[in-house]
Amino acid sequence: MSFDGMFTHAMVNELNQNLKGGRIAKIQQPFANELILTVRSNRKNQQLLLSAHPSYARVQITKQPFANPAKPSTFVMSLRKYITSAIVQDIRQLNNDRVVMIDLSAKNELGDIHEFTLTTEIMARHSNIFLISKETGKIVDLIKRVSPENNSFRGLLPGDDYKLPPAQNKANPFLANPTDFEGLNEAKDIRQKFEGIGIDTSNEMAATDNTPEFIKQYDTDIQPNTAKMNSNKKLGYMPILFPNTSEMVNSYPTLSDLLDSYYIDRARIDRIEQQTKSITNRLDIILKKDKSKVKKLNKQLAQTKIMDEYNLYGELLTTYMSQVKRGSKSITLTNYYNNEEVTIKLNPELSPSENAQRYYKKYRKLQNSIPHINEQLEITTNEVNYLESVLASLEYVDIEDVDGIIEELIDSGYIKKRKKNARKKRKKKIGEPFETTNGIEVVVGKNNLENDQLTMKLSQKNHYWFHVKGIPGSHVILKSSDPDEQSITEAATIAAYYSKARDSSKVPVDYLQIRNIRKPNGAKPGFVIFEGQKTILVDPNRELVSKLKED
């Protein structure tokens, strides 16, 4: 299910219950399309996320941490000027459309009260966030400015009159009479008549026996959940139960908790991609060249298998020199090792002796090339594995860990050192701490430099080391010389979660004491070799990992 008008209706109710009457204490724009308002309400601070992301546009309260950028955007500066300390008067929805309006009252520097509306339009790639003056009806500022050449319907620049998105001329299902739903047995008919109803919602409405009661639940019986859709088996999210068209997977206390869980990986990966796009493009180019080089080297190595034949041809031509006639293009001789006939191609312009020396020369050339090919193959294969591990880590690390990966790539010479930031760099601890149910400390490396430090320098030899088998992932250290089975399983679960196998099941995880691990000289960061390991199968479990992290 998408964030349709029905979900918006339920979310607006939730936001009013939690934020109405609150005061805006802080304004941030951590990413290009997303705004965070810290609202002081009911004696606590709550983060309101307004997103104009082309794929994940939404409005919700979020508990996820966000870093404050060093330099605020123009939009944030405008918001801070006009609505810092503003009071949330009301949160409302435009009919049943995906347009959320937050009415605010704020005092200026002279103490005069001014009214504003902070409007979020959820419309895929056309999503936007506006600050509108209620006194003039004009746009004070907006998160995505669009020139008149690219939008002829309405102005999307500061100072333009705010004009609502094009009307759909459909009925609001929350204002409809029971008779308005009679005869609407097909999902497409429901969507054509009523505003703000997504495909999954219309399918459920078409399958239900009492559509008015179904709609009434959006005001009286909210049950936030994720569910597998019966039609395509994809995971969707709903504000109420959809018993006819889906099978519930998880339930949540609030709609905002539901969205935090549903979008945590999708939004995290997208934000990381925004920060590292140029870096990953460069690594992809290097990786592509390396893989091509590995293919060529393997092909060259395969060609060396013929060198023994060249040596044999040289021996046979030398032994049977008197039988070889100058000017011949080939000769068939008996291989005295197995008494089989062998046909040897000759260069008619060379003497029998020169033909023999020609094959010996080919043999020596191939023989001498093998050490070089093997050396280059090892170097290139190690680089491929390293780059794949770095790219894979960007799929499972948190946004705050990206700087560590960039630092690793700078140290490894893959990217140039960035200009020093004027702000003082915070000292960062090595690894992410966890604690098993039985109180044993677990530490997770969040990049290859941390993996090396944790495994080779900071851990004791009798501690246990965990890593997914044959898949890029973090090094996980269980700080115990004699861990219990539950702690081993939990540490392995953490290792599976912080790996490329996060979305898989029955993931094999190797574990052994650190005394059995060593790092070869000159090896890439994060690369180790080991022996004597045991293997355990576990399922990556977000809830368990979160619990162990909280403890």
Side-chain angles (χ1 to χ4, degrees), residues 4 21 48 159 173 206 216 269 306 354 373 398 430 459 462 508:
D4 66 0
L48 174 63
K216 187 178 179 181
I269 291 173
I306 203 173
E354 288 172 334
I373 292 173
D398 295 324
I430 303 299
S459 299
N462 59 355

Side-chain angles (χ1 to χ4, degrees), residues 396-448:
Y396 59 80
V397 299
D398 295 324
I399 189 70
E400 58 267 22
D401 301 312
V402 171
D403 284 345
I405 294 175
I406 293 174
E407 181 183 342
E408 172 190 334
L409 292 171
I410 292 172
D411 290 348
S412 300
Y414 286 99
I415 58 176
K416 293 181 180 179
K417 191 171 184 179
R418 298 175 296 181
K419 292 181 179 179
K420 290 184 178 180
N421 197 314
R423 294 194 307 173
K424 187 176 180 181
K425 191 175 181 180
R426 291 178 296 177
K427 189 174 181 181
K428 187 182 176 184
K429 60 183 179 181
I430 303 299
E432 188 77 23
F434 293 81
E435 188 176 288
T436 68
T437 303
N438 292 327
I440 301 176
E441 186 180 353
V442 178
V443 186
V444 178
K446 304 306 284 291
N447 57 63
N448 285 310

Side-chain angles (χ1 to χ4, degrees), residues 125-311:
R125 64 188 182 92
H126 299 295
S127 298
N128 216 328
I129 304 172
F130 304 81
L131 179 64
I132 304 159
S133 169
K134 295 181 76 172
E135 297 163 1
T136 64
K138 293 186 180 296
I139 299 171
V140 176
D141 210 341
L142 65 169
I143 202 166
K144 295 180 185 177
R145 300 183 181 189
V146 182
S147 64
E149 293 80 10
N150 296 323
N151 184 40
S152 58
F153 177 77
R154 58 177 179 162
L156 292 175
L157 292 173
D160 289 334
D161 291 328
Y162 176 71
K163 186 177 181 181
L164 289 171
Q168 297 181 346
N169 297 319
K170 295 181 181 180
N172 185 338
F174 292 96
L175 301 179
N177 295 316
T179 55
D180 294 333
F181 297 97
E182 293 178 359
L184 298 178
N185 299 318
E186 298 291 332
K188 63 178 182 179
D189 296 332
I190 295 172
R191 293 197 302 273
Q192 287 176 356
K193 183 170 182 177
F194 294 102
E195 181 182 37
I197 298 179
I199 294 176
D200 294 331
T201 309
S202 63
N203 288 338
E204 181 68 22
M205 291 174 71
T208 190
D209 294 329
N210 192 332
T211 304
E213 283 298 316
F214 172 82
I215 293 175
K216 187 178 179 181
Q217 293 178 78
Y218 280 82
D219 287 317
T220 60
D221 192 22
I222 294 298
Q223 299 182 53
N225 68 91
T226 52
K228 289 282 187 181
M229 308 310 299
N230 296 341
S231 58
N232 53 24
K233 301 304 178 184
K234 289 184 178 180
L235 186 69
Y237 57 84
M238 300 89 185
I240 63 174
L241 294 177
F242 281 14
N244 298 299
T245 58
S246 66
E247 182 179 348
M248 191 172 77
V249 174
N250 281 314
S251 61
Y252 300 86
T254 68
L255 296 173
S256 293
D257 288 329
L258 163 65
L259 294 181
D260 262 354
S261 175
Y262 185 83
Y263 282 113
I264 185 170
D265 280 334
R266 294 166 177 83
R268 175 184 56 79
I269 291 173
D270 180 77
R271 291 162 185 155
I272 289 174
E273 286 177 350
Q274 288 180 39
Q275 286 198 5
T276 63
K277 187 174 182 180
S278 61
I279 296 172
T280 54
N281 285 344
R282 175 172 172 75
L283 297 185
D284 283 334
I285 291 171
I286 298 173
L287 189 58
K288 186 176 180 180
K289 289 181 179 178
D290 282 347
K291 287 183 176 180
S292 177
K293 185 177 179 180
V294 168
K295 285 184 179 180
K296 290 179 181 178
L297 290 169
N298 280 321
K299 188 176 180 180
Q300 291 174 13
L301 196 61
Q303 289 174 347
T304 63
K305 293 179 181 178
I306 203 173
M307 70 179 185
D308 290 333
E309 291 185 29
Y310 291 158
N311 187 47

Side-chain angles (χ1 to χ4, degrees), residues 475-495:
H475 292 200
V476 175
I477 308 299
L478 179 63
K479 294 189 174 184
S480 171
S481 60
D482 186 25
D484 58 277
E485 289 187 11
Q486 183 177 357
S487 295
I488 289 174
T489 301
E490 290 175 350
T493 301
I494 294 172

